[in-house]
Amino acid sequence: MLRDSDSDPDDPQMVKRLKRESTPVKKLSIRHELPKEKRSHHAKQHFRNEWCEKPEYKSWLTSVKGKPLKAKCKVCNSEFLSELTVIKNHGKGTKHLQNLKSSTKVSIDQMFAKKKNDPIDQLVKSAETKLCGMIAKHNISFNFVDHLVGVLKSAIPDSKIVNGIQMGRTKATSITKNVIGSCHFENLIHKMQTQYFSILIDESTDIGALKSMCICVRYFDTKLNQIQTNFWSMVQVFTNVDEAVSGATGERLYEKTIESFVQNGVPMENIVGFASDGCNTMFGQSNSVTSRLRENLPGFTAS
């Protein structure tokens, strides 16, 4: 320290020195003086379900099963610490906002509600179904639809119905199987339930582990006023290895045939005829499909 006699208040160097010596030395905080293992840590926050009820988090925030210290964004499919600050920062992120905007979906009911009373939409659906029916009837590849729709739109640009058709090979396949096929089979079941008919069956002759049997029905169609033959079902003869060991016996073929009709509510009394190839399994005097049909269906005829 300087004596009062040596100090000169007008000397700038002396003033700086006095300020430097009079400044107290900063002490380290108590936290840094403690050992590392004894220092206080930030308290971990558990996920709170009431956060999901807030409007700003309701559409995307959720908890993580088995991880109470984690939160999850359903839109970004990402996990992060269940702290309110972290959640707020994630909600303000550019990537999250983009994902949230793109994930806004309209329910199926809302989509169809807009077109429920639209007459054009009904005509478009009818046109798509008729095109699929034509393709199925003439055995045309479904890949043809990808080119057909484009040609129709370019050839008939002023038609609202044609321009409303949105159909490719995948949709055409689905319409044929799930709409046309299902409706046709339901109508056929109703006819078999209300009138007499004959059955025609044939088993596959390949050496594969799985054997199939095709069943067709033959009946008189009162609307068309002529005899019709329609495909009924493709039955799998064996469902497991144990059944395959016993072979495609007459008993098994008979059971699978009758089962296909019983499952659809068709009475066995309506079966009046049977036709197949002349193998012993089908037309043998005993232990065949024909012998069992004669035994269980009086008045039955086979050819």
Side-chain angles (χ1 to χ4, degrees):
M1 295 292 294
L2 295 175
R3 295 188 299 270
D4 295 339
S5 58
D6 296 333
S7 62
D8 184 2
D10 297 330
D11 187 1
Q13 297 296 332
M14 186 61 65
V15 173
K16 291 181 180 181
R17 184 178 178 182
L18 289 173
K19 288 183 178 180
R20 184 169 63 252
E21 291 180 356
S22 62
T23 303
V25 180
K26 294 182 179 179
K27 294 182 179 181
L28 294 175
S29 63
I30 299 176
R31 182 176 181 276
H32 290 285
E33 292 177 353
L34 294 174
K36 187 175 181 179
E37 60 274 7
K38 293 184 179 181
R39 296 176 186 175
S40 62
H41 295 280
H42 175 68
K44 297 180 179 180
Q45 176 68 56
H46 285 67
F47 185 86
R48 301 177 64 179
N49 293 326
E50 52 263 30
W51 292 343
C52 299
E53 299 177 0
K54 294 185 177 182
E56 59 269 27
Y57 310 136
K58 186 176 182 180
S59 60
W60 56 270
L61 184 64
T62 184
S63 60
V64 181
K65 188 176 181 180
K67 298 179 181 180
L69 301 177
K70 291 284 187 178
K72 183 178 180 180
C73 176
K74 295 184 289 186
V75 177
C76 302
N77 195 25
S78 60
E79 297 181 7
F80 38 82
L81 292 176
S82 60
E83 296 184 3
L84 197 56
T85 304
V86 178
I87 295 173
K88 289 181 179 179
N89 292 335
H90 179 82
K92 297 177 183 178
T94 305
K95 182 179 178 181
H96 171 78
L97 295 175
Q98 292 177 351
N99 293 337
L100 187 63
K101 185 177 180 180
S102 60
S103 64
T104 304
K105 299 179 180 179
V106 182
S107 64
I108 296 177
D109 294 337
Q110 293 175 346
M111 292 175 62
F112 284 99
K114 296 179 180 179
K115 298 183 177 181
K116 187 175 182 180
N117 299 322
D118 187 3
I120 298 297
D121 181 66
Q122 298 299 324
L123 294 174
V124 169
K125 292 179 181 179
S126 177
E128 291 176 346
T129 306
K130 290 179 180 180
L131 288 175
C132 293
M134 178 197 67
I135 291 172
K137 181 177 181 180
H138 296 282
N139 197 22
I140 302 173
S141 172
F142 287 112
N143 293 330
F144 176 68
V145 181
D146 293 336
H147 304 278
L148 176 62
V149 175
V151 172
L152 290 176
K153 289 185 177 182
S154 63
I156 316 174
D158 57 342
S159 174
K160 294 182 179 180
I161 299 175
V162 174
N163 290 325
I165 297 176
Q166 301 292 334
M167 183 174 61
R169 59 180 180 272
T170 304
K171 184 178 180 180
T173 304
S174 180
I175 291 175
T176 304
K177 290 182 178 180
N178 303 323
V179 179
I180 300 177
S182 298
C183 293
H184 173 76
F185 188 61
E186 290 178 1
N187 293 333
L188 187 60
I189 291 175
H190 178 71
K191 292 178 181 179
M192 299 302 99
Q193 292 173 342
T194 56
Q195 64 184 77
Y196 297 111
F197 64 93
S198 299
I199 57 177
L200 300 85
I201 67 174
D202 192 15
E203 178 198 2
S204 62
T205 57
D206 56 11
I207 59 175
L210 298 177
K211 286 185 178 293
S212 301
M213 179 175 60
C214 176
I215 303 177
C216 294
V217 292
R218 191 175 178 88
Y219 62 96
F220 180 79
D221 194 323
T222 55
K223 292 183 178 180
L224 299 177
N225 199 27
Q226 61 182 2
I227 297 176
Q228 292 288 318
T229 302
N230 294 123
F231 171 79
W232 172 258
S233 177
M234 182 67 72
V235 179
Q236 186 173 327
V237 180
F238 307 129
T239 57
N240 53 57
V241 178
D242 296 334
E243 293 179 355
V245 173
S246 60
T249 61
E251 180 182 5
R252 180 166 299 280
L253 297 181
Y254 170 78
E255 291 176 353
K256 291 295 182 180
T257 301
I258 298 301
E259 182 182 349
S260 67
F261 292 101
V262 173
Q263 288 178 347
N264 292 284
V266 178
M268 294 298 97
E269 294 78 9
N270 289 354
I271 302 177
V272 295
F274 172 77
S276 180
D277 54 11
C279 66
N280 190 55
T281 305
M282 298 293 184
F283 280 94
Q285 291 185 358
S286 59
N287 198 23
S288 64
V289 177
T290 306
S291 63
R292 287 176 168 79
L293 288 172
R294 288 196 180 102
E295 180 181 352
N296 296 306
L297 300 175
F300 169 81
T301 58
S303 60

